[in-house]
Amino acid sequence: MSSKAVEAFMAQVIARNPGEPEFHQAVREVAESVMPIIQSTPVYQKARILERMVEPERAIIFRVPWVDDKGEVQVNRGFRVQMNSAIGPYKGGLRFHASVTLGSMKFLAFEQTFKNALTTLPMGGGKGGSDFNPRGKSDGEVMRFCQSFMTELARHIGPNTDVPAGDIGVGGRELGYLYGQYKRLVNAFEGVLTGKGINWGGSLIRPEATGYGVTYFTREMLARVGESIKGKTIAISGYGNVGSYLIEKVNELGGKVVTIGDEFGYVHDPEGISGEKLEFVKDLWTVYRAPARDYAERYNAKWVPGRRPWEVKCDIAIPTAIQNELNAEDAQQLIDNGCIAVCEAANMPCTIEAIHLFLKNKILFGPAKAANAGGVAVSGLEMSQNSMRMSWSREEVDQRLNGIMVRIHETCVEHGKTPDDYVDYVKGANIAGFYKVASAMLDLGVV
Ligand code: GLU
Protein backbone atom coordinates (compact mmCIF):
# COMPACT_ATOMS: atom_id res chain seq x y z
CA MET A 1 0.00 0.00 0.00
CA SER A 2 2.88 2.31 0.68
CA SER A 3 5.69 2.95 -1.77
CA LYS A 4 9.08 4.65 -2.00
CA ALA A 5 7.43 7.73 -3.46
CA VAL A 6 4.93 7.89 -0.59
CA GLU A 7 7.74 7.54 1.96
CA ALA A 8 9.82 10.28 0.30
CA PHE A 9 6.80 12.59 0.18
CA MET A 10 5.90 11.84 3.81
CA ALA A 11 9.47 12.53 4.95
CA GLN A 12 9.08 16.09 3.62
CA VAL A 13 5.64 16.52 5.15
CA ILE A 14 6.86 15.34 8.55
CA ALA A 15 9.95 17.58 8.43
CA ARG A 16 7.87 20.65 7.51
CA ASN A 17 5.11 19.95 10.04
CA PRO A 18 6.82 18.61 13.16
CA GLY A 19 4.72 17.44 16.11
CA GLU A 20 1.51 17.02 14.10
CA PRO A 21 0.98 13.23 13.97
CA GLU A 22 -2.72 13.42 13.06
CA PHE A 23 -1.96 15.66 10.11
CA HIS A 24 0.76 13.24 8.96
CA GLN A 25 -1.72 10.38 9.26
CA ALA A 26 -4.44 12.10 7.19
CA VAL A 27 -1.93 13.10 4.50
CA ARG A 28 -0.42 9.60 4.38
CA GLU A 29 -3.82 8.02 3.81
CA VAL A 30 -4.46 10.28 0.81
CA ALA A 31 -0.89 10.00 -0.51
CA GLU A 32 -1.10 6.18 -0.50
CA SER A 33 -4.20 6.37 -2.72
CA VAL A 34 -3.19 9.11 -5.15
CA MET A 35 0.58 8.62 -5.56
CA PRO A 36 0.22 6.19 -8.51
CA ILE A 37 -1.91 8.80 -10.32
CA ILE A 38 0.59 11.56 -9.63
CA GLN A 39 3.47 9.40 -10.79
CA SER A 40 1.77 8.72 -14.09
CA THR A 41 0.55 12.30 -14.67
CA PRO A 42 3.44 14.72 -15.40
CA VAL A 43 1.18 17.77 -15.28
CA TYR A 44 0.39 17.09 -11.60
CA GLN A 45 4.09 16.65 -10.83
CA LYS A 46 5.06 19.83 -12.63
CA ALA A 47 2.36 21.81 -10.82
CA ARG A 48 3.45 20.23 -7.51
CA ILE A 49 -0.20 19.61 -6.79
CA LEU A 50 0.17 17.38 -3.74
CA GLU A 51 2.83 19.63 -2.18
CA ARG A 52 0.43 22.58 -2.58
CA MET A 53 -2.54 20.61 -1.22
CA VAL A 54 -0.78 19.89 2.08
CA GLU A 55 0.08 23.56 2.65
CA PRO A 56 -2.88 25.50 4.14
CA GLU A 57 -3.72 28.65 2.19
CA ARG A 58 -3.89 30.34 5.58
CA ALA A 59 -3.84 29.34 9.26
CA ILE A 60 -5.01 31.75 11.92
CA ILE A 61 -4.20 31.32 15.62
CA PHE A 62 -5.68 33.69 18.16
CA ARG A 63 -6.13 34.38 21.86
CA VAL A 64 -9.59 33.79 23.35
CA PRO A 65 -9.81 35.46 26.77
CA TRP A 66 -13.04 35.19 28.78
CA VAL A 67 -14.25 35.49 32.35
CA ASP A 68 -15.66 32.44 34.15
CA ASP A 69 -18.54 32.39 36.67
CA LYS A 70 -16.13 32.93 39.58
CA GLY A 71 -14.90 36.15 37.96
CA GLU A 72 -11.56 34.59 37.02
CA VAL A 73 -9.92 35.27 33.67
CA GLN A 74 -9.47 32.23 31.44
CA VAL A 75 -7.38 32.05 28.29
CA ASN A 76 -7.98 29.59 25.46
CA ARG A 77 -6.47 29.32 22.01
CA GLY A 78 -8.57 29.69 18.87
CA PHE A 79 -7.77 28.35 15.39
CA ARG A 80 -9.10 28.57 11.87
CA VAL A 81 -7.23 26.65 9.17
CA GLN A 82 -8.27 27.79 5.68
CA MET A 83 -6.91 24.86 3.75
CA ASN A 84 -8.16 25.07 0.18
CA SER A 85 -10.56 27.38 -1.68
CA ALA A 86 -10.10 26.04 -5.22
CA ILE A 87 -13.70 24.89 -5.61
CA GLY A 88 -15.56 27.26 -3.26
CA PRO A 89 -15.39 29.26 -0.01
CA TYR A 90 -13.59 27.52 2.85
CA LYS A 91 -16.12 25.31 4.62
CA GLY A 92 -15.90 23.16 7.70
CA GLY A 93 -16.86 22.94 11.34
CA LEU A 94 -15.61 24.41 14.60
CA ARG A 95 -14.52 21.97 17.30
CA PHE A 96 -14.43 22.87 21.00
CA HIS A 97 -12.52 20.08 22.71
CA ALA A 98 -9.53 19.82 25.03
CA SER A 99 -7.59 17.90 22.34
CA VAL A 100 -7.66 20.75 19.79
CA THR A 101 -4.22 21.78 18.47
CA LEU A 102 -2.97 23.30 15.24
CA GLY A 103 -2.09 19.79 14.02
CA SER A 104 -5.57 18.39 14.65
CA MET A 105 -7.14 21.40 12.93
CA LYS A 106 -4.86 20.87 9.92
CA PHE A 107 -5.78 17.19 9.64
CA LEU A 108 -9.48 18.02 9.82
CA ALA A 109 -9.21 20.87 7.28
CA PHE A 110 -7.25 18.60 4.91
CA GLU A 111 -9.88 15.83 5.16
CA GLN A 112 -12.65 18.38 4.77
CA THR A 113 -11.27 19.58 1.44
CA PHE A 114 -11.70 16.13 -0.14
CA LYS A 115 -14.99 15.42 1.63
CA ASN A 116 -16.51 18.68 0.43
CA ALA A 117 -15.36 17.97 -3.12
CA LEU A 118 -17.14 14.59 -2.99
CA THR A 119 -20.48 16.24 -2.16
CA THR A 120 -20.35 17.87 -5.66
CA LEU A 121 -21.34 21.18 -4.02
CA PRO A 122 -19.07 24.23 -4.42
CA MET A 123 -17.28 24.24 -1.06
CA GLY A 124 -13.57 24.49 -0.28
CA GLY A 125 -12.06 23.06 2.90
CA GLY A 126 -11.43 24.59 6.32
CA LYS A 127 -11.69 23.79 10.00
CA GLY A 128 -11.43 25.66 13.26
CA GLY A 129 -12.02 25.48 16.95
CA SER A 130 -10.50 25.86 20.36
CA ASP A 131 -9.04 23.87 23.23
CA PHE A 132 -12.03 25.05 25.29
CA ASN A 133 -13.70 22.09 27.02
CA PRO A 134 -17.48 22.62 27.18
CA ARG A 135 -17.96 19.82 29.74
CA GLY A 136 -19.10 21.26 33.06
CA LYS A 137 -19.33 24.87 31.82
CA SER A 138 -22.40 26.95 32.60
CA ASP A 139 -24.55 28.45 29.88
CA GLY A 140 -23.21 31.91 30.67
CA GLU A 141 -19.62 30.69 30.44
CA VAL A 142 -20.27 29.07 27.06
CA MET A 143 -21.86 32.30 25.82
CA ARG A 144 -19.02 34.52 26.97
CA PHE A 145 -16.48 32.16 25.47
CA CYS A 146 -18.35 32.03 22.12
CA GLN A 147 -18.62 35.83 22.01
CA SER A 148 -14.91 36.25 22.64
CA PHE A 149 -14.05 33.56 20.06
CA MET A 150 -16.23 35.20 17.39
CA THR A 151 -14.95 38.70 18.13
CA GLU A 152 -11.64 37.64 16.58
CA LEU A 153 -12.91 35.07 14.07
CA ALA A 154 -15.47 37.42 12.46
CA ARG A 155 -12.83 39.39 10.54
CA HIS A 156 -11.58 36.22 8.82
CA ILE A 157 -14.90 34.71 7.67
CA GLY A 158 -17.90 35.66 5.50
CA PRO A 159 -20.61 34.01 3.41
CA ASN A 160 -18.38 34.08 0.30
CA THR A 161 -15.06 33.63 2.13
CA ASP A 162 -15.32 31.03 4.85
CA VAL A 163 -18.44 29.44 6.34
CA PRO A 164 -17.90 27.58 9.64
CA ALA A 165 -20.39 25.15 11.21
CA GLY A 166 -20.52 22.83 14.22
CA ASP A 167 -18.35 19.85 15.13
CA ILE A 168 -17.52 18.19 18.46
CA GLY A 169 -18.65 20.48 21.32
CA VAL A 170 -20.29 22.97 18.96
CA GLY A 171 -24.03 22.43 18.49
CA GLY A 172 -27.16 24.55 18.26
CA ARG A 173 -26.48 26.48 21.46
CA GLU A 174 -22.88 27.43 20.59
CA LEU A 175 -23.79 28.29 16.98
CA GLY A 176 -26.52 30.59 18.33
CA TYR A 177 -24.09 32.53 20.50
CA LEU A 178 -21.49 32.64 17.73
CA TYR A 179 -24.01 33.86 15.16
CA GLY A 180 -25.47 36.45 17.56
CA GLN A 181 -22.03 37.97 18.07
CA TYR A 182 -21.14 37.87 14.36
CA LYS A 183 -24.37 39.67 13.46
CA ARG A 184 -23.65 42.31 16.03
CA LEU A 185 -20.11 42.87 14.77
CA VAL A 186 -20.77 43.08 11.02
CA ASN A 187 -24.31 44.45 11.19
CA ALA A 188 -25.59 41.98 8.59
CA PHE A 189 -27.89 38.98 8.67
CA GLU A 190 -26.06 36.66 6.30
CA GLY A 191 -25.31 32.96 5.83
CA VAL A 192 -21.88 32.99 7.49
CA LEU A 193 -22.47 29.87 9.59
CA THR A 194 -24.40 26.68 8.88
CA GLY A 195 -26.24 24.54 11.35
CA LYS A 196 -28.17 27.67 12.31
CA GLY A 197 -31.47 27.41 14.20
CA ILE A 198 -34.56 27.06 12.08
CA ASN A 199 -35.88 30.48 13.18
CA TRP A 200 -32.73 32.33 12.22
CA GLY A 201 -31.73 31.03 8.80
CA GLY A 202 -31.06 27.33 9.38
CA SER A 203 -32.05 24.38 7.21
CA LEU A 204 -34.39 21.56 8.14
CA ILE A 205 -32.57 18.19 8.42
CA ARG A 206 -29.18 19.82 9.17
CA PRO A 207 -29.09 18.40 12.73
CA GLU A 208 -29.99 14.94 11.39
CA ALA A 209 -27.82 15.13 8.28
CA THR A 210 -24.56 13.48 9.37
CA GLY A 211 -26.26 10.56 11.16
CA TYR A 212 -28.80 10.03 8.39
CA GLY A 213 -26.11 10.37 5.73
CA VAL A 214 -23.85 7.75 7.35
CA THR A 215 -26.82 5.38 7.50
CA TYR A 216 -27.63 5.98 3.82
CA PHE A 217 -23.99 5.33 2.89
CA THR A 218 -23.91 2.12 4.96
CA ARG A 219 -27.19 1.03 3.33
CA GLU A 220 -25.59 1.55 -0.12
CA MET A 221 -22.44 -0.42 0.74
CA LEU A 222 -24.55 -3.30 2.04
CA ALA A 223 -27.00 -3.21 -0.90
CA ARG A 224 -24.13 -3.61 -3.35
CA VAL A 225 -23.31 -7.01 -1.81
CA GLY A 226 -26.95 -8.05 -1.45
CA GLU A 227 -27.23 -7.15 2.25
CA SER A 228 -29.30 -4.62 4.19
CA ILE A 229 -29.46 -2.89 7.57
CA LYS A 230 -32.61 -4.81 8.49
CA GLY A 231 -31.93 -7.20 11.36
CA LYS A 232 -28.32 -6.09 11.84
CA THR A 233 -26.72 -5.44 15.22
CA ILE A 234 -24.70 -2.24 15.23
CA ALA A 235 -22.07 -0.90 17.66
CA ILE A 236 -21.42 2.83 17.83
CA SER A 237 -19.25 4.89 20.17
CA GLY A 238 -20.62 8.45 20.44
CA TYR A 239 -24.02 9.77 21.47
CA GLY A 240 -24.00 13.38 20.31
CA ASN A 241 -25.75 14.78 17.33
CA VAL A 242 -24.28 12.24 14.89
CA GLY A 243 -24.88 9.16 17.03
CA SER A 244 -28.43 10.10 18.02
CA TYR A 245 -29.75 10.61 14.51
CA LEU A 246 -27.83 7.63 13.23
CA ILE A 247 -29.70 5.48 15.76
CA GLU A 248 -32.99 7.07 14.65
CA LYS A 249 -32.40 6.20 10.97
CA VAL A 250 -31.03 2.72 11.72
CA ASN A 251 -34.17 1.95 13.76
CA GLU A 252 -36.31 3.14 10.85
CA LEU A 253 -34.47 0.74 8.53
CA GLY A 254 -34.94 -2.20 10.92
CA GLY A 255 -31.47 -2.39 12.49
CA LYS A 256 -30.52 -2.29 16.17
CA VAL A 257 -27.87 -0.12 17.85
CA VAL A 258 -26.63 -1.77 21.05
CA THR A 259 -23.81 0.48 22.34
CA ILE A 260 -22.87 4.09 23.02
CA GLY A 261 -19.77 5.34 24.78
CA ASP A 262 -17.46 8.15 25.80
CA GLU A 263 -13.89 8.57 27.03
CA PHE A 264 -14.81 6.83 30.31
CA GLY A 265 -16.21 3.57 28.87
CA TYR A 266 -19.25 2.24 27.06
CA VAL A 267 -22.85 1.18 27.57
CA HIS A 268 -24.10 -2.18 26.25
CA ASP A 269 -27.86 -2.49 25.79
CA PRO A 270 -28.52 -5.73 23.85
CA GLU A 271 -32.21 -4.83 23.48
CA GLY A 272 -31.28 -1.88 21.31
CA ILE A 273 -31.67 1.87 21.84
CA SER A 274 -35.12 2.96 20.70
CA GLY A 275 -38.32 4.73 21.78
CA GLU A 276 -38.01 6.63 25.05
CA LYS A 277 -34.39 5.49 25.44
CA LEU A 278 -33.48 7.14 22.14
CA GLU A 279 -35.22 10.37 23.16
CA PHE A 280 -33.10 10.32 26.35
CA VAL A 281 -29.90 9.78 24.32
CA LYS A 282 -30.74 12.69 22.01
CA ASP A 283 -30.47 15.19 24.89
CA LEU A 284 -27.78 13.47 26.92
CA TRP A 285 -24.77 15.15 25.30
CA THR A 286 -26.30 17.79 23.03
CA VAL A 287 -28.31 19.45 25.80
CA TYR A 288 -26.80 18.29 29.11
CA ARG A 289 -23.20 17.40 28.16
CA ALA A 290 -23.72 14.45 30.51
CA PRO A 291 -21.70 11.19 30.59
CA ALA A 292 -22.85 8.03 28.72
CA ARG A 293 -22.98 6.18 32.03
CA ASP A 294 -26.18 8.08 32.92
CA TYR A 295 -27.94 5.94 30.28
CA ALA A 296 -26.76 2.69 31.89
CA GLU A 297 -27.90 3.86 35.32
CA ARG A 298 -31.30 5.01 34.13
CA TYR A 299 -32.15 1.99 31.98
CA ASN A 300 -30.32 -0.68 33.90
CA ALA A 301 -27.98 -1.44 30.99
CA LYS A 302 -24.43 -2.76 31.31
CA TRP A 303 -21.71 -0.13 31.89
CA VAL A 304 -18.20 -1.21 30.93
CA PRO A 305 -15.67 1.30 32.33
CA GLY A 306 -12.39 2.09 30.61
CA ARG A 307 -13.07 0.00 27.49
CA ARG A 308 -14.29 0.56 23.95
CA PRO A 309 -17.45 -0.89 22.38
CA TRP A 310 -15.51 -2.69 19.62
CA GLU A 311 -15.28 -5.81 21.80
CA VAL A 312 -19.06 -6.30 21.54
CA LYS A 313 -20.16 -8.83 18.90
CA CYS A 314 -21.81 -6.89 16.09
CA ASP A 315 -22.51 -7.03 12.33
CA ILE A 316 -21.62 -3.40 11.73
CA ALA A 317 -19.34 -1.02 13.64
CA ILE A 318 -19.75 2.74 13.29
CA PRO A 319 -17.20 4.83 15.21
CA THR A 320 -18.97 8.11 15.95
CA ALA A 321 -16.70 9.83 18.48
CA ILE A 322 -13.21 11.11 17.63
CA GLN A 323 -9.99 10.46 15.72
CA ASN A 324 -8.06 7.25 16.38
CA GLU A 325 -10.70 5.69 18.62
CA LEU A 326 -10.44 2.33 16.81
CA ASN A 327 -6.99 0.75 16.51
CA ALA A 328 -5.59 -2.42 14.92
CA GLU A 329 -6.39 -4.54 17.97
CA ASP A 330 -10.01 -3.36 17.91
CA ALA A 331 -10.17 -4.00 14.17
CA GLN A 332 -8.90 -7.57 14.61
CA GLN A 333 -11.46 -8.20 17.32
CA LEU A 334 -14.29 -6.93 15.11
CA ILE A 335 -13.10 -9.14 12.25
CA ASP A 336 -12.82 -12.19 14.55
CA ASN A 337 -16.36 -11.50 15.81
CA GLY A 338 -17.77 -11.64 12.26
CA CYS A 339 -18.33 -7.93 11.66
CA ILE A 340 -19.08 -7.35 7.95
CA ALA A 341 -18.98 -3.56 7.65
CA VAL A 342 -17.31 -0.58 9.32
CA CYS A 343 -18.37 2.94 8.50
CA GLU A 344 -16.62 6.05 9.83
CA ALA A 345 -19.09 8.60 11.20
CA ALA A 346 -16.42 10.55 13.10
CA ASN A 347 -13.45 12.08 11.27
CA MET A 348 -10.50 9.64 10.96
CA PRO A 349 -11.67 7.42 13.86
CA CYS A 350 -9.71 4.39 12.57
CA THR A 351 -5.92 4.25 12.67
CA ILE A 352 -4.12 3.51 9.39
CA GLU A 353 -3.22 0.03 10.71
CA ALA A 354 -6.90 -0.67 11.44
CA ILE A 355 -7.89 0.45 7.94
CA HIS A 356 -5.22 -1.77 6.36
CA LEU A 357 -6.62 -4.73 8.32
CA PHE A 358 -10.19 -4.05 7.18
CA LEU A 359 -9.11 -3.78 3.55
CA LYS A 360 -6.94 -6.90 3.75
CA ASN A 361 -9.86 -8.87 5.16
CA LYS A 362 -12.27 -7.46 2.54
CA ILE A 363 -14.55 -5.90 5.17
CA LEU A 364 -16.83 -3.23 3.70
CA PHE A 365 -15.10 -0.08 4.92
CA GLY A 366 -16.65 3.39 4.47
CA PRO A 367 -14.04 6.14 5.09
CA ALA A 368 -15.16 9.34 6.82
CA LYS A 369 -14.66 11.69 3.94
CA ALA A 370 -17.29 9.77 1.96
CA ALA A 371 -19.49 8.27 4.68
CA ASN A 372 -19.96 11.34 6.89
CA ALA A 373 -20.19 13.90 4.08
CA GLY A 374 -23.96 14.22 4.62
CA GLY A 375 -23.48 16.83 7.34
CA VAL A 376 -21.48 19.23 5.24
CA ALA A 377 -23.65 18.42 2.21
CA VAL A 378 -26.73 19.74 3.99
CA SER A 379 -24.61 22.69 5.14
CA GLY A 380 -24.09 23.35 1.42
CA LEU A 381 -27.85 23.14 0.93
CA GLU A 382 -28.29 25.58 3.83
CA MET A 383 -25.95 28.01 2.03
CA SER A 384 -28.04 27.68 -1.15
CA GLN A 385 -31.27 28.33 0.76
CA ASN A 386 -29.70 31.36 2.47
CA SER A 387 -28.55 32.78 -0.86
CA MET A 388 -32.06 32.38 -2.29
CA ARG A 389 -33.68 33.51 0.98
CA MET A 390 -35.83 30.40 0.80
CA SER A 391 -36.52 27.41 2.99
CA TRP A 392 -37.04 23.90 1.65
CA SER A 393 -39.28 21.28 3.29
CA ARG A 394 -37.92 18.35 5.31
CA GLU A 395 -38.78 15.95 2.50
CA GLU A 396 -36.98 18.04 -0.09
CA VAL A 397 -33.76 18.37 1.95
CA ASP A 398 -33.81 14.69 2.96
CA GLN A 399 -34.33 13.61 -0.64
CA ARG A 400 -31.40 15.75 -1.79
CA LEU A 401 -29.24 14.36 1.04
CA ASN A 402 -30.15 10.80 0.09
CA GLY A 403 -29.36 11.53 -3.57
CA ILE A 404 -25.97 13.04 -2.66
CA MET A 405 -25.03 10.01 -0.49
CA VAL A 406 -26.06 7.59 -3.26
CA ARG A 407 -23.91 9.51 -5.76
CA ILE A 408 -20.91 9.66 -3.41
CA HIS A 409 -21.20 5.89 -3.03
CA GLU A 410 -21.33 5.40 -6.81
CA THR A 411 -18.28 7.66 -7.25
CA CYS A 412 -16.32 5.62 -4.70
CA VAL A 413 -17.26 2.40 -6.49
CA GLU A 414 -16.19 3.88 -9.82
CA HIS A 415 -12.72 4.81 -8.55
CA GLY A 416 -12.26 2.07 -5.96
CA LYS A 417 -13.46 -1.16 -7.56
CA THR A 418 -10.84 -3.93 -7.58
CA PRO A 419 -10.66 -6.81 -10.12
CA ASP A 420 -12.33 -9.24 -7.68
CA ASP A 421 -15.33 -6.88 -7.38
CA TYR A 422 -14.37 -5.72 -3.87
CA VAL A 423 -14.55 -1.95 -3.43
CA ASP A 424 -11.67 -0.12 -1.78
CA TYR A 425 -13.73 2.89 -0.69
CA VAL A 426 -10.66 4.59 0.80
CA LYS A 427 -8.97 4.67 -2.57
CA GLY A 428 -12.24 5.53 -4.33
CA ALA A 429 -12.98 8.52 -2.09
CA ASN A 430 -9.42 9.84 -2.09
CA ILE A 431 -9.01 9.60 -5.86
CA ALA A 432 -12.40 11.13 -6.69
CA GLY A 433 -11.88 14.02 -4.24
CA PHE A 434 -8.32 14.53 -5.46
CA TYR A 435 -9.31 14.71 -9.14
CA LYS A 436 -11.89 17.39 -8.51
CA VAL A 437 -9.69 19.63 -6.35
CA ALA A 438 -6.55 19.04 -8.45
CA SER A 439 -8.18 19.93 -11.75
CA ALA A 440 -9.63 23.14 -10.28
CA MET A 441 -6.19 24.03 -8.92
CA LEU A 442 -4.61 23.46 -12.34
CA ASP A 443 -7.21 25.71 -14.00
CA LEU A 444 -6.56 28.50 -11.49
CA GLY A 445 -2.80 28.65 -12.08
CA VAL A 446 -0.04 28.74 -9.50
CA VAL A 447 -1.91 30.40 -6.64
N1 GLU B 1 -18.11 19.17 11.21
C1 GLU B 1 -18.79 18.52 10.12
C2 GLU B 1 -17.79 17.74 9.31
O1 GLU B 1 -16.84 17.24 9.84
C3 GLU B 1 -19.65 19.47 9.31
C4 GLU B 1 -18.97 20.63 8.68
C5 GLU B 1 -19.89 21.62 8.02
O2 GLU B 1 -21.09 21.42 8.01
O3 GLU B 1 -19.35 22.63 7.52
O4 GLU B 1 -17.94 17.50 8.13
Side-chain angles (χ1 to χ4, degrees):
M1 287 181 197
S2 196
S3 68
K4 257 194 168 147
V6 170
E7 291 315 321
F9 177 72
M10 285 313 302
Q12 286 174 28
V13 170
I14 292 165
R16 278 177 71 76
N17 304 276
E20 298 177 353
E22 292 145 332
F23 181 59
H24 306 158
Q25 182 182 339
V27 171
R28 176 181 286 279
E29 192 214 279
V30 170
E32 285 182 358
S33 298
V34 304
M35 197 55 85
I37 295 171
I38 290 177
Q39 285 181 307
S40 59
T41 317
V43 69
Y44 287 149
Q45 287 170 35
K46 192 153 182 286
R48 301 196 67 200
I49 282 291
L50 201 54
E51 286 83 349
R52 280 157 63 193
M53 279 184 181
V54 298
E55 200 63 38
E57 287 178 19
R58 191 176 297 106
I60 302 142
I61 304 181
F62 51 98
R63 180 203 297 161
V64 190
W66 56 283
V67 180
D68 69 17
D69 286 348
K70 292 194 220 99
E72 279 169 26
V73 175
Q74 301 287 339
V75 188
N76 285 97
R77 188 172 288 173
F79 301 91
R80 186 71 183 167
V81 174
Q82 299 179 328
M83 187 56 95
N84 195 305
S85 62
I87 65 170
Y90 309 108
K91 180 84 197 88
L94 296 172
R95 175 175 293 192
F96 293 169
H97 192 266
S99 69
V100 164
T101 58
L102 178 61
S104 66
M105 294 288 99
K106 278 167 70 179
F107 113 66
L108 288 159
F110 183 75
E111 288 263 306
Q112 197 80 44
T113 302
F114 296 89
K115 183 195 312 196
N116 294 1
L118 285 173
T119 66
T120 70
L121 301 173
M123 299 180 289
K127 200 86 182 191
S130 175
D131 57 357
F132 174 78
N133 179 5
R135 229 187 247 286
K137 300 291 190 301
S138 74
D139 209 41
E141 289 178 324
V142 170
M143 183 176 77
R144 290 194 295 280
F145 173 80
C146 287
Q147 290 177 339
S148 178
F149 183 87
M150 184 52 89
T151 301
E152 175 58 33
L153 185 68
R155 73 188 79 221
H156 305 290
I157 61 177
N160 296 308
T161 309
D162 184 354
V163 183
D167 195 79
I168 298 174
V170 178
R173 173 180 62 163
E174 290 75 14
L175 288 166
Y177 296 146
L178 290 163
Y179 191 62
Q181 183 72 350
Y182 178 85
K183 197 164 68 58
R184 210 170 153 204
L185 288 165
V186 305
N187 193 27
F189 195 104
E190 52 190 17
V192 71
L193 296 176
T194 59
K196 298 188 292 301
I198 204 65
N199 295 324
W200 37 281
S203 172
L204 288 165
I205 303 287
R206 178 61 190 89
E208 295 89 337
T210 312
Y212 281 14
V214 172
T215 316
Y216 296 151
F217 194 88
T218 310
R219 180 198 64 200
E220 292 302 299
M221 289 202 304
L222 292 169
R224 196 180 167 276
V225 297
E227 286 278 2
S228 78
I229 287 184
K230 199 168 168 36
K232 298 288 187 302
T233 297
I234 300 175
I236 73 168
S237 45
Y239 59 102
N241 180 57
V242 179
S244 300
Y245 288 108
L246 187 143
I247 300 175
E248 182 171 278
K249 191 50 84 176
V250 162
N251 290 347
E252 216 179 276
L253 299 182
K256 187 166 79 171
V257 176
V258 296
T259 62
I260 55 166
D262 57 19
E263 64 264 45
F264 309 114
Y266 74 91
V267 175
H268 185 202
D269 183 352
E271 304 286 295
I273 300 166
S274 61
E276 191 215 305
K277 294 191 282 188
L278 174 57
E279 293 314 308
F280 179 77
V281 166
K282 276 186 185 169
D283 288 348
L284 197 56
W285 169 257
T286 30
V287 178
Y288 301 112
R289 306 271 186 239
R293 205 171 109 187
D294 286 10
Y295 177 100
E297 278 164 14
R298 188 178 175 106
Y299 295 109
N300 212 9
K302 188 168 158 200
W303 169 248
V304 186
R307 301 192 66 86
R308 288 188 282 234
W310 318 126
E311 60 189 17
V312 170
K313 189 170 161 49
C314 63
D315 303 306
I316 303 168
I318 307 188
T320 30
I322 201 162
Q323 63 267 18
N324 293 326
E325 55 166 314
L326 196 160
N327 63 22
E329 208 182 302
D330 301 318
Q332 192 56 55
Q333 188 149 22
L334 285 166
I335 295 164
D336 293 344
N337 280 343
C339 176
I340 60 167
V342 178
C343 210
E344 293 187 318
N347 290 313
M348 207 170 77
C350 299
T351 64
I352 290 217
E353 296 75 27
I355 297 176
H356 288 169
L357 269 174
F358 291 136
L359 298 181
K360 199 172 117 206
N361 287 276
K362 308 268 154 134
I363 303 290
L364 295 174
F365 178 75
K369 53 175 87 68
N372 78 18
V376 76
V378 175
S379 278
L381 300 179
E382 184 172 329
M383 289 165 74
S384 305
Q385 293 169 81
N386 288 167
S387 298
M388 292 190 286
R389 298 194 191 280
M390 275 182 67
S391 197
W392 295 330
S393 68
R394 283 186 79 80
E395 292 69 32
E396 170 142 23
V397 180
D398 196 21
Q399 242 173 45
R400 285 178 190 262
L401 167 64
N402 190 36
I404 289 170
M405 297 315 296
V406 169
R407 280 197 300 279
I408 294 177
H409 179 265
E410 281 166 3
T411 306
C412 291
V413 173
E414 188 193 327
H415 293 281
K417 205 163 131 183
T418 61
D420 60 355
D421 205 37
Y422 173 69
V423 179
D424 180 341
Y425 288 92
V426 177
K427 194 169 141 206
N430 285 336
I431 290 178
F434 171 81
Y435 272 138
K436 180 154 183 191
V437 178
S439 64
M441 287 175 74
L442 283 184
D443 290 347
L444 298 179
V446 180
V447 287

